Amino acid sequence: MKRINTDCATCINTNCFIKKHLHLEKMQDFVLQKNNFICKKGQQCMIEGAPIQGLYFIHKGKVKVLKTGIYGKEHIVRLTQEGDTIGFRGFGTSNRYHIGAAALEDTVLCNFSNEVMQNILKTIPEFTYDMMLFYAEELNKSENNVKKIAQMNVRERVIDTLLYLLKKFGHTNNLIDINLSRKEIADFAGTTDEQVTRIFSSLKKEGLIKMVGKKISLLQVDKMQREIIEHK
DNA sequence: GCATTAATTGGTC
DNA sequence: GACCAATTAATGC
């Protein structure tokens, strides 16, 4: 296996919570206590109902966080990439994960145990405060998502999802930098893969998007934004 | 190259 | 707008 350097000091994920506070002296000891995991594309890196093992930070790769509903239907709760945190929702409040996570591509994870996380939170107020802001922001996003699912129709939700993917993952040569199947987009937008296919077909006919291989290009972002603006 | 999986399209409720 | 079925395209082994 290729050796991967996950040393926090040389890590380029400046949005990572650990990296952001690495300049603090107290942080130095803690970062020595992290573990690393590799999760291959398609593999689950967090299982619903399994005991919580601290917090995970994505060093490289992308992960979908999902909740399994009734009849085994999956709902993608969040999509994450380099520097993002997963497993934070259950942390401290429960001893088992209420969500699962699977790698969308080969992913390298950094993990801090419950004990280490508690030590960090109790000894570094700057970190804890930042974390609190993060939780508040996540709650805000979560509330917005509830509204979206409830008030937007399927087409609007798919458009909203595409705009989100562009904003979150960026693009190269106008192609959004993430590969998701129709089903995964559907699981995120709260619909079915057939609906996503149909809506994509319409959007293509309308000249709003185009596909190059598996990648998606948004041709008229402003027009798409206007279509969903009243629900934002 | 073959087998499995994903995408597309049409139809039914 | 979800679910099912049939066909075709793509991907993995």
Side-chain angles (χ1 to χ4, degrees), chain A residues 70-96:
Chain A
I70 42 172
Y71 315 124
K73 198 169 157 52
E74 285 182 351
H75 185 76
I76 296 181
V77 179
R78 337 197 277 136
L79 291 165
T80 56
Q81 61 179 341
E82 283 88 358
D84 286 338
T85 314
I86 55 174
F88 60 86
R89 199 118 42 191
F91 180 74
T93 58
S94 152
N95 54 2
R96 288 184 187 277

Side-chain angles (χ1 to χ4, degrees), chain A residues 162-185:
Chain A
L162 289 174
L163 290 168
Y164 170 78
L165 293 177
L166 177 62
K167 186 170 136 234
K168 166 100 189 172
F169 296 98
H171 62 89
T172 43
N173 301 324
N174 277 320
L175 303 172
I176 299 175
D177 281 329
I178 189 169
N179 281 329
L180 291 175
S181 68
R182 300 286 185 270
K183 169 142 194 332
E184 283 164 335
I185 292 171

Side-chain angles (χ1 to χ4, degrees), chain A residues 7-225:
Chain A
D7 185 6
C8 290
T10 55
C11 182
I12 54 165
N13 297 328
T14 48
N15 59 328
C16 170
F17 273 111
I18 303 296
K19 181 71 184 181
K20 262 193 247 174
H21 297 89
L22 199 63
H23 60 280
L24 298 170
E25 215 170 303
K26 285 178 184 164
M27 206 65 202
Q28 305 304 322
D29 291 337
F30 293 125
V31 296
L32 297 174
Q33 300 182 56
K34 77 169 176 179
N35 299 306
N36 285 106
F37 294 100
I38 290 181
C39 192
K40 290 264 180 199
K41 180 180 180 179
Q43 276 185 344
Q44 272 208 270
C45 48
M46 200 179 284
I47 297 165
E48 275 181 89
I52 287 174
Q53 294 157 19
L55 238 49
Y56 292 87
F57 299 88
I58 299 171
H59 180 261
K60 185 93 187 62
K62 294 180 178 68
V63 170
K64 62 175 172 181
V65 179
L66 39 93
K67 220 171 170 80
T68 310
I70 42 172
Y71 315 124
K73 198 169 157 52
E74 285 182 351
H75 185 76
I76 296 181
V77 179
R78 337 197 277 136
L79 291 165
T80 56
Q81 61 179 341
E82 283 88 358
D84 286 338
T85 314
I86 55 174
F88 60 86
R89 199 118 42 191
F91 180 74
T93 58
S94 152
N95 54 2
R96 288 184 187 277
Y97 289 114
H98 293 170
I99 44 102
L104 294 167
E105 49 190 63
D106 291 356
T107 296
V108 182
L109 297 158
C110 300
N111 172 247
F112 290 85
S113 69
N114 291 325
E115 294 71 35
V116 175
M117 277 318 300
Q118 278 167 23
N119 282 337
I120 296 177
L121 291 167
K122 282 176 184 167
T123 51
I124 309 181
E126 293 96 324
F127 186 95
T128 310
Y129 178 70
D130 214 23
M131 210 58 192
M132 199 203 76
L133 295 180
F134 169 72
Y135 275 95
E137 181 55 31
E138 285 298 316
L139 185 58
N140 183 30
K141 282 184 200 166
S142 171
E143 287 167 353
N144 278 334
N145 277 335
V146 173
K147 187 184 78 176
K148 280 176 189 169
I149 296 278
Q151 297 184 353
M152 285 180 157
N153 64 32
V154 173
R155 181 183 156 108
E156 289 165 342
R157 294 206 296 272
V158 171
I159 289 175
D160 186 64
T161 300
L162 289 174
L163 290 168
Y164 170 78
L165 293 177
L166 177 62
K167 186 170 136 234
K168 166 100 189 172
F169 296 98
H171 62 89
T172 43
N173 301 324
N174 277 320
L175 303 172
I176 299 175
D177 281 329
I178 189 169
N179 281 329
L180 291 175
S181 68
R182 300 286 185 270
K183 169 142 194 332
E184 283 164 335
I185 292 171
D187 288 345
F188 190 71
T191 180
T192 60
D193 46 346
E194 294 96 329
Q195 284 298 318
V196 172
T197 295
R198 284 178 221 276
I199 289 162
F200 275 16
S201 296
S202 312
L203 294 174
K204 273 188 265 185
K205 271 188 202 144
E206 294 166 39
L208 293 174
I209 67 169
K210 93 179 160 183
M211 310 285 300
V212 179
K214 293 214 71 171
K215 301 264 179 173
I216 307 165
S217 176
L218 306 191
L219 302 171
Q220 299 188 55
V221 173
D222 51 336
K223 209 169 172 182
M224 290 170 79
Q225 276 168 344

